[in-house]
Amino acid sequence: IDLRNNPSFVEKEVVYDGDTIVKEIHTWLTKFSKTTGDRTMDLKQAIEGLIQTTGFNVVNERIPAGIWVVDKWTGGGLRRKQVGIALAPTGHGKTSLLTIFAHKIAAVEQKRVWFITNELSIEEVTERLMTRLSGKPLEDIIEDPIVGYKGLKKHWLTGLQDRLWLSEVNREVSTDDLEAEMATWANLRGYKPDVIVLDYMERMKPTMTGYDRTKEWQWLGAIAQDLVRMAKRHNLIIWSAAQTNREGLNATGGITASMAQASIRHLQECTAVIGIHQEEIPGRKDEVAMTFSSIKQRQSKRVVRTISLVADLAKMNISNEEVNMPGLREQIKAQKAAEALADTEEADRSGLTPREQQKKNKRGAWKNVESI
């Protein structure tokens, strides 16, 4: 009766708009379907079910994310029905990392990936992916996308366009909304994604009502639970991102769980939590050190130490080159101490205070720049 009273639906029947009718019926049915995914069985059934699942499905397959340190800490990659979180301060590379994950899983691992952005526009995500594919700097792609178009044909020949889909969401969505959209894709293409990359979870909303947006510890925890349930229901991997609090901006020793926004409730739901933080590398103009921290690993041994890799985010690239950031920090600290001592000694000779001498040196430097 509900569908029959919908003029739009009746019109589609008249013009035989078949696939749209199928999608609308599916969306209507999901309003009444049981989505808890609860299962109960005895031990013998559980063991036999595990063996059958392992033997005939790819549930135990690990899918690498494409960054060696992340894959090392997750034991070779996450398995299906698992959720991973990248935890970072604002502006420290969450979107870049997730974009690299999406591209490498689709291009190298040959898996179907659905990239969902509820922060950037689909054009901005496309620019970043074009940078990955073409190797051209991001600012050049933004200025004129045609510079990154040459050479893309080889990627289309491998079928990359059929394995990597992009969606832009301009509202707070729940996993119910995502599942409805995924059903549309499944009806059109005949298959579901293997991996969902979601940028990022804090712009979502829980499926159940009654949660208060101002109580972030409950709000985020409920969203994380929904993502885990979605991953289990559809036998897929979900990689997403979450923000740290202000303490994370100055986390030179690596990101910790205590720096998570609101609380760690949403981190408790996930299989793996990777912290990321950017720092400058002295003497390198376009490159930064991206420091990775292993915050939580449910399926493998957690490593305490951090690892810093050289990254050129203008080209959306995180290399395998490891850099010793603790040593560089000590080097910078020693250099600043030496400069301060030199200012003090020069001030003693000139009769000025160290602060006055420092200002004088800066004025002299600017005069040299102006003369040049």
Side-chain angles (χ1 to χ4, degrees):
I1 293 172
D2 186 19
L3 292 175
R4 276 288 171 206
N5 291 335
N6 184 340
S8 175
F9 183 82
V10 174
E11 180 183 357
K12 291 183 178 67
E13 281 189 293
V14 172
V15 298
Y16 301 103
D17 192 357
D19 77 320
T20 305
I21 292 174
V22 170
K23 285 184 285 186
E24 290 197 8
I25 292 175
H26 183 276
T27 302
W28 183 81
L29 285 172
T30 55
K31 296 178 183 178
F32 311 98
S33 62
K34 184 178 178 181
T35 58
T36 61
D38 295 345
R39 295 182 296 168
T40 303
M41 58 186 73
D42 63 36
L43 178 60
K44 183 173 181 291
Q45 291 172 327
I47 292 174
E48 290 176 350
L50 174 65
I51 293 172
Q52 291 173 1
T53 302
T54 304
F56 295 101
N57 293 329
V58 289
V59 68
N60 279 340
E61 177 190 20
R62 291 187 180 273
I63 301 180
I67 305 297
W68 73 264
V69 63
V70 175
D71 295 332
K72 176 182 178 181
W73 286 342
T74 55
L78 293 184
R79 296 187 298 172
R80 292 174 186 268
K81 303 187 179 182
Q82 294 181 341
V83 176
I85 296 291
L87 182 65
T90 182
H92 277 250
K94 294 188 297 295
T95 299
S96 298
L97 184 70
L98 293 179
T99 302
I100 293 171
F101 281 3
H103 171 250
K104 288 205 169 186
I105 293 171
V108 179
E109 303 303 323
Q110 303 281 295
K111 301 298 181 184
R112 296 185 289 266
V113 181
W114 184 20
F115 189 102
I116 306 168
T117 173
N118 51 16
E119 182 177 33
L120 302 179
S121 68
I122 199 168
E123 288 80 13
E124 290 172 310
V125 174
T126 304
E127 289 166 349
R128 283 154 176 77
L129 285 167
M130 284 186 71
T131 294
R132 283 284 305 166
L133 296 176
S134 67
K136 300 293 183 182
L138 180 59
E139 57 267 28
D140 292 352
I141 299 290
I142 294 173
E143 184 69 26
D144 182 11
I146 200 68
V147 303
Y149 193 77
K150 184 178 180 181
L152 294 186
K153 186 177 180 180
K154 61 183 180 183
H155 298 289
W156 311 149
L157 291 174
T158 67
L160 180 62
Q161 70 277 13
D162 295 323
R163 295 191 301 273
L164 182 53
W165 327 323
L166 310 179
S167 289
E168 174 190 342
V169 180
N170 295 315
R171 56 194 168 91
E172 283 189 340
V173 294
S174 67
T175 53
D176 283 349
D177 298 316
L178 298 183
E179 287 181 275
E181 181 67 17
M182 186 166 64
T184 301
W185 279 95
N187 287 329
L188 290 172
R189 295 175 174 267
Y191 50 77
K192 295 178 182 178
D194 301 302
V195 179
I196 290 179
V197 178
L198 173 63
D199 184 25
Y200 63 107
M201 63 175 289
E202 292 175 29
R203 288 181 180 266
M204 295 182 64
K205 63 180 180 181
T207 56
M208 299 293 291
T209 59
Y211 290 99
D212 187 347
R213 189 71 169 90
T214 61
K215 298 179 180 178
E216 287 188 288
W217 63 94
Q218 295 178 355
W219 185 272
L220 295 178
I223 292 171
Q225 287 178 345
D226 291 341
L227 290 173
V228 170
R229 289 167 183 159
M230 180 178 176
K232 290 178 179 178
R233 275 199 300 271
H234 296 283
N235 196 35
L236 49 81
I237 290 172
I238 297 177
W239 273 107
S240 189
Q243 294 240 58
T244 66
N245 52 28
R246 291 182 182 179
E247 187 182 356
L249 291 169
N250 300 315
T252 53
I255 300 296
T256 63
S258 64
M259 298 173 185
Q261 186 80 7
S263 75
I264 63 170
R265 186 170 175 180
H266 52 303
L267 306 185
Q268 292 171 327
E269 303 293 333
C270 303
T271 300
V273 181
I274 304 292
I276 55 174
H277 188 274
Q278 286 184 39
E279 295 181 66
E280 292 184 6
I281 304 177
R284 300 210 187 188
K285 181 181 177 182
D286 298 321
E287 295 174 326
V288 296
M290 184 168 280
T291 299
F292 292 84
S293 309
S294 179
I295 297 174
K296 176 185 177 182
Q297 304 300 332
R298 186 178 289 168
Q299 300 294 332
S300 60
K301 184 178 178 181
R302 190 173 76 88
V303 180
V304 177
R305 80 183 185 96
T306 60
I307 294 179
S308 300
L309 301 180
V310 176
D312 183 356
L313 298 184
K315 294 185 178 180
M316 300 298 293
N317 179 55
I318 300 175
S319 74
N320 293 331
E321 181 185 351
E322 192 173 344
V323 59
N324 180 15
M325 285 310 298
L328 283 176
R329 291 189 203 109
E330 290 298 321
Q331 179 182 335
I332 295 170
K333 185 178 178 181
Q335 183 179 349
K336 288 182 177 178
E339 290 174 354
L341 179 60
D343 288 341
T344 302
E345 292 174 348
E346 190 173 351
D348 290 340
R349 291 193 295 270
S350 63
L352 300 173
T353 66
R355 182 68 175 168
E356 290 170 339
Q357 184 63 48
Q358 193 177 35
K359 288 183 178 180
K360 180 180 178 182
N361 291 341
K362 286 184 178 179
R363 286 196 298 270
W366 275 113
K367 286 182 179 179
N368 290 335
V369 170
E370 289 170 357
S371 65
I372 291 171

